[in-house]
Amino acid sequence: MKRTWVKVVALTLALAICGAGVALAAKKAEKPLNVSKALLDSYDYIEKKQYKKADALLDKILVADPGNPLALNNKASVMVAEKKFDKADTYLNQALAKSKGYMVQVNRVCSVGNICMAFKPVAGGTGNQDLEPLIKMNIEMVKGYMTAGPVPGKGLR
């Protein structure tokens, strides 16, 4: 009986070690997220109105680069598309806190819901435009939209 118990323990231990090895190998195989490319890709999703894909990718960016003001700004534009203006305002204010001196070179701007703009950065390098005034503009537009009444005959904006 003792022999069977020893075999079971040895087999369980061997499986646990193998499982840990497989998990470690899988973790090593994961490539780190290329934030610059992911920002470009997320903008493309926003432009194509694929907001769920954009939102998921922006979440990954924010895990890899917490507080990235461009990702927060573009996430706010997704919230505007989903008519979640309070969340958009929250993301924009988080972005504003880190946007001063964050230099971008914006080559395209996407209007979402006719108010909040997502910015597509130029691939590679830094830009020549401070992100802060752009985010301030988005905050003002979202606040204006939040205080505006419903569209006559159509309901909520």
Side-chain angles (χ1 to χ4, degrees), residues 5 11 19 31 47 51 70 74 76 83 107 117 127-128 136 142 146-147 156:
W5 183 80
L11 183 61
K31 288 191 231 174
E47 197 171 50
Y51 300 117
L70 188 56
N74 289 1
K83 299 189 185 309
N107 65 359
M117 293 181 280
N128 58 5
K136 284 181 178 178
V142 168
M146 289 170 66
T147 59
L156 294 175

Side-chain angles (χ1 to χ4, degrees), residues 8-87:
V8 169
V9 170
L11 183 61
T12 304
L13 187 58
L15 289 173
I17 291 171
C18 288
V22 169
L24 184 60
K27 189 164 184 116
K28 279 187 176 181
E30 287 179 27
K31 288 191 231 174
L33 182 69
N34 180 335
V35 172
S36 296
K37 181 179 180 335
L39 282 167
L40 290 167
D41 292 344
S42 65
Y43 177 87
D44 290 339
Y45 286 135
I46 291 169
E47 197 171 50
K48 295 174 186 173
K49 300 183 188 314
Q50 295 176 347
Y51 300 117
K52 288 188 190 285
K53 288 182 179 180
D55 194 38
L57 189 51
L58 289 164
D59 284 341
K60 288 180 182 178
I61 293 167
L62 291 169
V63 167
D65 185 6
N68 182 300
L70 188 56
L72 288 166
N73 177 83
N74 289 1
K75 190 160 175 71
S77 69
V78 170
M79 294 300 108
V80 166
E82 296 175 352
K83 299 189 185 309
K84 297 177 182 174
F85 303 111
D86 55 337
K87 286 186 178 183

Side-chain angles (χ1 to χ4, degrees), residues 94-146:
Q94 288 174 2
L96 183 61
K98 294 199 174 191
S99 65
K100 187 169 182 70
Y102 188 95
M103 302 304 287
V104 294
Q105 186 170 357
V106 180
N107 65 359
R108 263 196 344 236
V109 176
C110 176
S111 175
V112 177
N114 294 323
I115 56 167
C116 191
M117 293 181 280
F119 303 109
K120 180 175 184 176
V122 172
T126 60
N128 58 5
Q129 186 172 2
D130 192 341
L131 187 59
E132 184 183 41
L134 301 172
I135 290 177
K136 284 181 178 178
M137 179 180 60
N138 279 345
I139 289 171
E140 291 304 312
M141 287 190 285
V142 168
K143 285 190 184 302
Y145 214 79
M146 289 170 66

